[in-house]
Amino acid sequence: MIPKSEVTFPALTATASSITMFSLNVILLTVLLLNSSVLISADTAETAIACDGDVQRLQCYVGVIHVQSATFGRTSSQICSVGRPVSQTSNIKCSMDISIISKRCNGLRECEINTQGLTATDPCIGTYKYYTTNYICVPAKTSVTCNGGYSYLYCEYGRIQINTANYGRTDKITCSEGRPSSQTQNTNCYSPNALSPVAKRCNGQRSCEVFATHTVFTDPCIGTYKYLTVSYFCLPPAIRSTLICEHQNQTLRCEEGTRIHIDSANYGRTDSSTCSAGRPATQLVKTDCYAGNSLAIVAKECEDKDSCSIRASNDVFLDPCNGTFKYLYITYSCAAV
């Protein structure tokens, strides 16, 4: 029998009248629970630093990892300076954004990354560098399913909203029983399209099942025994969501006798899979892209109306990440008049 597990992580709760999931304040992410007047909010960001060549460790005692930013370079002459000559630590204007850490760690409870050779590009030759990762712990349910099994996702209350998904292997222990060592050694195995089919099948459903197999997902590492890892939220039934790829229009509607109430909005990019068809990788790599005026503009166009049309465009919103192909994600409810 193929082993399968599902773990639910508890979280602190707080009461609020409105939700801004994508705001650029200290608290950057909120997740709705069971009742529309209750939310879970992530604490301020944790910071993990690893000298180049060392292992970087990210951990959430409650919830799962959500990387806000990750950089490689040097912005301080003191960090990772022991035993290094001044010539290797004096350049403190050296920094580049990297996406590989969010790709590897988002949706996991614990994540260890060997930084040796992690980044091919050197932003400042001759300077000894380090990795800085800022992340928050997002309350979510998680499901891990070994290859050939079915992942069963379920919300007792509300509807499923997929947070992260990966078909591959990120450690040597999970789904390793009875497997030869050669099938578990590759821990840098990520399916490029895992999020899209899981979200398409499960978002908005109360329950769903997904087959963990290469016939559903691209096989990212032939010869490695893989598993499907999914993290997801249970959104209240009253909360609706809509996704609009850049340059497209969409209409929000509420039934007769109700009016639109905007809960959250973000114009930008928070993953590499959404609205990615036909786009080069350079337009998808930045996944910490948030337009600070998203909520205000959508609310101005749609709040308290029975329908409204909104366009995902730089002409409507500020461009938060030049060169990145963006999308507009909105959550809203229909309130009685």
Side-chain angles (χ1 to χ4, degrees):
M1 180 178 179
I2 297 172
K4 179 173 73 69
S5 63
E6 181 173 286
V7 183
T8 304
F9 301 114
L12 298 176
T13 59
T15 300
S17 59
S18 64
I19 298 167
T20 54
M21 188 177 297
F22 297 103
S23 69
L24 292 178
N25 298 327
V26 175
I27 296 175
L28 289 183
L29 185 61
T30 61
V31 182
L32 293 168
L33 268 193
L34 312 189
N35 185 304
S36 60
S37 66
V38 179
L39 61 85
I40 299 176
S41 57
D43 292 332
T44 53
E46 300 284 345
T47 300
I49 296 176
C51 304
D52 190 17
D54 290 347
V55 174
Q56 185 170 76
R57 294 177 176 85
L58 282 61
Q59 184 176 32
C60 288
Y61 295 102
V62 174
V64 296
I65 296 165
H66 178 80
V67 174
Q68 295 178 310
S69 65
T71 59
F72 177 56
R74 176 170 288 277
T75 57
S76 166
S77 60
Q78 302 301 313
I79 298 173
C80 294
S81 62
V82 175
R84 298 285 167 178
V86 174
S87 60
Q88 292 186 2
T89 61
S90 57
N91 181 3
I92 58 172
K93 295 183 178 180
C94 168
S95 182
M96 62 178 284
D97 294 332
I98 56 175
S99 62
I100 191 169
I101 293 178
S102 61
K103 179 180 177 182
R104 292 191 182 186
C105 296
N106 278 357
L108 301 179
R109 191 176 181 185
E110 298 180 7
C111 183
E112 291 191 356
I113 298 179
N114 186 348
T115 64
Q116 184 69 46
L118 184 65
T119 305
T121 304
D122 190 338
C124 46
I125 297 173
T127 294
Y128 184 64
K129 295 165 282 291
Y130 53 87
Y131 291 83
T132 304
T133 302
N134 295 309
Y135 68 99
I136 56 177
C137 296
V138 182
K141 291 186 174 185
T142 62
S143 174
V144 178
T145 308
C146 302
N147 186 63
Y150 283 88
S151 176
Y152 297 96
L153 311 184
Y154 175 71
C155 287
E156 184 176 1
Y157 301 99
R159 295 292 184 265
I160 294 168
Q161 179 68 39
I162 301 298
N163 177 40
T164 61
N166 181 57
Y167 175 69
R169 177 167 289 276
T170 59
D171 66 65
K172 298 179 181 179
I173 305 301
T174 304
C175 295
S176 62
E177 185 177 354
R179 296 287 161 180
S181 176
S182 60
Q183 293 185 3
T184 61
Q185 292 304 300
N186 183 359
T187 58
N188 183 25
C189 178
Y190 301 85
S191 175
N193 70 335
L195 184 64
S196 181
V198 177
K200 184 177 181 180
R201 188 170 184 85
C202 297
N203 277 356
Q205 302 298 315
R206 197 168 165 193
S207 65
C208 70
E209 61 180 45
V210 182
F211 192 25
T213 176
H214 67 275
T215 59
V216 176
F217 307 95
T218 302
D219 190 340
C221 45
I222 296 173
T224 294
Y225 188 69
K226 294 164 282 289
Y227 51 87
L228 174 64
T229 304
V230 179
S231 68
Y232 63 102
F233 310 119
C234 293
L235 295 182
I239 300 299
R240 308 179 185 191
S241 64
T242 188
L243 176 71
I244 313 169
C245 298
E246 189 172 356
H247 310 309
Q248 294 182 2
N249 297 282
Q250 193 157 313
T251 300
L252 278 62
R253 288 189 176 88
C254 282
E255 296 78 12
E256 185 178 352
T258 63
R259 295 290 184 268
I260 296 169
H261 172 67
I262 302 299
D263 291 302
S264 71
N266 182 57
Y267 176 66
R269 176 167 290 278
T270 59
D271 66 68
S272 58
S273 300
T274 304
C275 294
S276 62
R279 295 288 162 180
T282 54
Q283 294 184 4
L284 309 172
V285 68
K286 187 171 179 61
T287 58
D288 57 347
C289 176
Y290 304 86
N293 64 343
S294 302
L295 182 62
I297 289 177
V298 174
K300 182 179 179 181
E301 293 295 322
C302 299
E303 187 73 17
D304 206 31
K305 297 180 180 179
D306 56 7
S307 68
C308 67
S309 180
I310 194 79
R311 181 173 177 81
S313 168
N314 293 338
D315 295 333
V316 178
F317 304 90
L318 296 175
D319 188 347
C321 45
N322 186 39
T324 294
F325 188 70
K326 294 165 283 289
Y327 52 86
L328 175 62
Y329 181 74
I330 303 169
T331 63
Y332 68 101
S333 54
C334 293
V337 178

